[in-house]
Amino acid sequence: MKRKDLLRHLRSHGCSRLREGGKHSIYYNPNNNQTTSIPRKREINEFLVRKICRDLGIAQPD
């Protein structure tokens, strides 16, 4: 999945960028106070996309 599509999905579920790390962006879900890191790569593996969504407590993209 493209990184920009994942970020669009996260924002549509109320998540926002908390801060920028060295090679990752840290995203935060204010509804349940959960955070996760997202690598700054153009393509993100589907397994990692599922893990990111699970970490933030949101539905997986189609």
Side-chain angles (χ1 to χ4, degrees):
M1 172 177 247
K2 298 271 186 208
R3 184 176 193 269
K4 65 179 182 175
D5 295 333
L6 174 62
L7 297 180
R8 187 178 304 128
H9 175 74
L10 295 180
R11 283 190 296 266
S12 71
H13 282 84
C15 299
S16 61
R17 187 176 63 216
L18 185 63
R19 65 183 174 87
E20 291 292 330
K23 293 184 180 179
H24 292 78
S25 300
I26 310 300
Y27 270 74
Y28 171 71
N29 187 352
N31 298 327
N32 54 14
N33 291 332
Q34 294 179 320
T35 61
T36 192
S37 62
I38 300 170
R40 283 197 210 114
K41 293 198 250 181
R42 216 170 257 197
E43 281 287 326
I44 299 177
N45 188 342
E46 290 298 322
F47 294 108
L48 184 56
V49 169
R50 282 187 276 184
K51 183 201 176 299
I52 290 168
C53 291
R54 190 172 49 240
D55 287 348
L56 291 172
I58 63 172
Q60 297 176 16
D62 295 333

